[in-house]
Amino acid sequence: MNSRLFISLLLSFLAYIVAQVLIFQHIALFGLAIGYLYVGFLLLLPFELAPIALLLIGFFCGLTVDVFYDTPGIHASASVLLSFLRIYLVKQTAPTGGYEAGQLPTIRDMGLRWFLVYSAVLVVAHHLLLFLIEASDFSLVGRSLFRAGISASFTLMLLITVQYLFYPQQRTRRRL
Amino acid sequence: MRELFLFIYRYRIFAVFLALQLVCLGLIVTQNSYQGAVFLSSSGKVAGTVYQTASDATSYLTLGEENRALAEENSRLREQLGLMADQLRKPAFLPPQDSVNTYLIARVVNNSIYRPTNYLTLNQGSAAGIQPGMGVIGPNGVVGIVKAVSTHFATVFSFLHTDVSVSALLKKDGTICSAKWDGKDYGHAKVEYVARHIQVSVGDSVLTSGFSPVFPPGTLIGVVKSVTRKDSETFLDIDIELSTDFASVSYVYVVKNRFRAEKEALEQQNTKSK
């Protein structure tokens, strides 16, 4: 990993965490749907990162959110699951001949339809695990499943909005 | 031996995944329990400072609202003072109820209300004398219980946490019960263990009992909103409207009970000798 990639990853990590902790922590659509925008950081990591690096980044990203949310281990667990599934999803959907150097799992590089399927699968898995662990009480499981579903839709909407707003649309090499 | 290493190498991704999930599981089990050791929490230095800074910046936006709330509390206190004026002049043989507790003022720098397990972060910590287990009340009633402290910050279990329950009583006849949040809406909670024969009506106040040294007795928790009597159940199903507006709680008092250690030691002795 070269230093330029590292710095751009670090900056986008900080941006996602700050947005999550200071803004989206206090927003719930209809009092129910919570946006976990920070998963965008994990979804958009470049293809070229090694699988084990992805898992470790997922763990530390989740743990950082946990520290701010006072939920040690819960977001870390969901994020590690997301990173793990991502590894296989990316492997399964790889084009013949592999990904180009510097290609990112974004709408710009992969197309809206690919991104929708990719992020929907991973976000739903992440949210299901997250809300089920958080439920902590069997009487809340049904409600948690419902909240996981609508929160996943909310998160997806945020992810797509963020991509159109903050990610450059014309193809440039190696930008984050 | 070579095969073993090859095997591990082939499944290395899954092995790392499993190892990380085990670490997470360990954290979840040991750190999220109501009375567990806590080291990864928002009372830590970095998270605390981030929340403090953000709260410093945004607190200006709510100054008007806060002023109004403080003025209201002030007038209420003045009223109470007026009612007690007679008592103050008389020689007091018994110390007033609240010589037991001292109150430490703290500002809420972070607060969550939408999760099944909610927490607050306060801008005062062990340096101000706050310790885990102390009660936290706001101008309108119960807010939560301190979970962890660092030197300058404290993390608080909000009353809006499905593991928190508060020893309570009905103001009208002193029936002992327990108040607990049901994990749904931040304005409402449940009162448990009220037997079916008790007459409860809408509008009755639910107060803290003061049996545990966490909250001073008589602190308002909420007001009864609806009572359902189901034939199949031993206890009444009571919904209360919480008196504290958790969405806008900004200044709180941490309750420091002077005799807490003594009382707990004595009660411990009782359970041991049984």
Side-chain angles (χ1 to χ4, degrees):
Chain A
M1 195 195 289
N2 62 33
S3 60
R4 219 181 125 197
L5 177 62
F6 179 76
I7 290 170
S8 65
L9 284 182
L10 192 67
L11 287 179
S12 86
F13 172 70
L14 290 178
Y16 273 107
I17 293 293
V18 166
Q20 182 65 50
V21 166
L22 296 184
I23 303 170
F24 291 101
Q25 185 179 175
H26 304 289
I27 295 176
L29 270 193
F30 320 117
L32 288 170
I34 302 177
Y36 288 110
L37 180 67
Y38 79 92
V39 300
F41 172 70
L42 301 174
L43 289 176
L44 302 184
L45 287 172
F47 287 121
E48 65 202 66
L49 288 182
I52 295 194
L54 286 174
L55 288 174
L56 290 174
I57 293 174
F59 179 72
F60 285 108
C61 176
L63 209 58
T64 311
V65 175
D66 278 331
V67 167
F68 284 97
Y69 272 59
D70 283 298
T71 52
I74 295 180
H75 284 271
S77 176
S79 299
V80 169
L81 177 74
L82 182 146
S83 298
F84 181 69
L85 293 177
R86 177 195 143 130
I87 293 166
Y88 287 93
L89 198 64
V90 164
K91 205 189 268 174
Q92 289 302 315
T93 58
T96 41
Y99 296 98
E100 288 171 43
Q103 206 172 10
L104 294 172
T106 55
I107 296 176
R108 184 197 69 199
D109 285 6
M110 303 301 293
L112 180 62
R113 231 174 70 180
W114 182 90
F115 182 78
L116 267 182
V117 176
Y118 165 79
S119 54
V121 170
L122 296 180
V123 167
V124 166
H126 173 274
H127 282 39
L128 275 180
L129 185 61
L130 181 69
F131 279 86
L132 282 180
I133 301 177
E134 245 192 357
S136 74
D137 189 327
F138 277 116
S139 64
L140 290 175
V141 165
R143 190 181 155 85
S144 285
L145 287 177
F146 173 65
R147 288 190 68 176
I150 55 170
S151 297
S153 333
F154 184 36
T155 303
L156 280 175
M157 268 165 22
L158 288 176
L159 285 173
I160 291 166
T161 316
V162 163
Q163 283 219 12
Y164 281 116
L165 286 180
F166 296 108
Y167 284 74
Q169 287 306 307
Q170 67 275 40
R171 256 190 95 84
T172 46
R173 303 206 96 208
R174 172 106 359 126
R175 285 279 304 274
L176 261 178
Chain B
M1 201 61 185
R2 197 168 156 272
E3 272 76 31
L4 180 69
F5 282 125
L6 272 179
F7 177 81
I8 293 175
Y9 184 73
R10 186 178 311 153
Y11 292 102
R12 65 194 185 284
I13 298 174
F14 188 68
V16 171
F17 168 69
L18 220 57
L20 288 175
Q21 285 294 10
L22 283 177
V23 174
C24 293
L25 188 71
L27 286 173
I28 291 169
V29 171
T30 58
Q31 302 292 310
N32 287 282
S33 60
Y34 183 45
Q35 250 131 24
V38 178
F39 74 98
L40 284 169
S41 74
S42 68
S43 56
K45 194 159 187 178
V46 178
T49 311
V50 169
Y51 280 143
Q52 169 96 54
T53 314
S55 159
D56 283 347
T58 53
S59 64
Y60 291 103
L61 302 175
T62 54
L63 273 185
E65 176 69 16
E66 251 151 55
N67 261 335
R68 196 189 53 73
L70 285 175
E72 257 173 30
E73 190 185 10
N74 229 341
S75 72
R76 205 162 51 233
L77 290 175
R78 264 175 196 286
E79 207 173 288
Q80 284 173 3
L81 193 67
L83 290 176
M84 284 176 67
D86 289 348
Q87 290 178 31
L88 287 175
R89 264 179 243 114
K90 279 185 220 157
F93 293 106
L94 286 170
Q97 264 299 333
D98 245 32
S99 65
V100 175
N101 297 308
T102 45
Y103 299 90
L104 312 162
I105 301 172
R107 198 175 86 205
V108 176
V109 291
N110 184 53
N111 181 16
S112 67
I113 51 176
Y114 294 119
R115 292 181 268 142
T117 53
N118 293 297
Y119 300 88
L120 301 101
T121 310
L122 308 182
N123 72 341
Q124 299 286 351
S126 56
I130 298 180
Q131 281 156 15
M134 287 180 170
V136 179
I137 60 178
N140 297 319
V142 167
V143 171
I145 297 168
V146 176
K147 177 191 184 198
V149 290
S150 64
T151 323
H152 296 109
F153 296 102
T155 314
V156 175
F157 285 106
S158 176
F159 180 72
L160 307 180
H161 187 296
T162 44
D163 289 346
V164 171
S165 76
V166 175
S167 167
L169 49 78
L170 300 178
K171 186 182 183 185
K172 151 179 99 155
D173 55 4
T175 307
I176 296 157
C177 51
S178 163
K180 197 170 192 298
W181 189 51
D182 55 0
K184 287 177 183 159
D185 157 16
Y186 66 83
H188 300 98
K190 295 271 183 202
V191 171
E192 296 172 328
Y193 311 121
V194 178
R196 288 166 54 84
H197 66 275
I198 309 276
Q199 289 298 324
V200 183
S201 40
V202 174
D204 287 352
S205 299
V206 180
L207 311 176
T208 55
S209 68
F211 291 154
S212 79
V214 178
F215 295 108
T219 311
L220 191 60
I221 299 173
V223 173
V224 174
K225 198 182 157 231
S226 73
V227 184
T228 342
R229 195 163 307 209
K230 282 187 199 136
D231 283 339
S232 58
E233 295 193 2
T234 333
F235 300 111
L236 295 176
D237 183 22
I238 304 176
D239 257 318
I240 59 170
E241 196 163 337
L242 293 172
S243 56
T244 299
D245 178 9
F246 282 89
S248 71
V249 58
S250 57
Y251 279 90
V252 293
Y253 307 101
V254 181
V255 183
K256 189 175 182 180
N257 188 308
R258 216 176 297 164
F259 305 118
R260 179 175 187 149
E262 190 181 332
K263 183 168 182 279
E264 281 175 351
L266 186 64
E267 286 172 353
Q268 198 96 49
Q269 232 172 26
N270 277 342
T271 47
K272 258 185 211 155
S273 60
K274 244 179 228 170

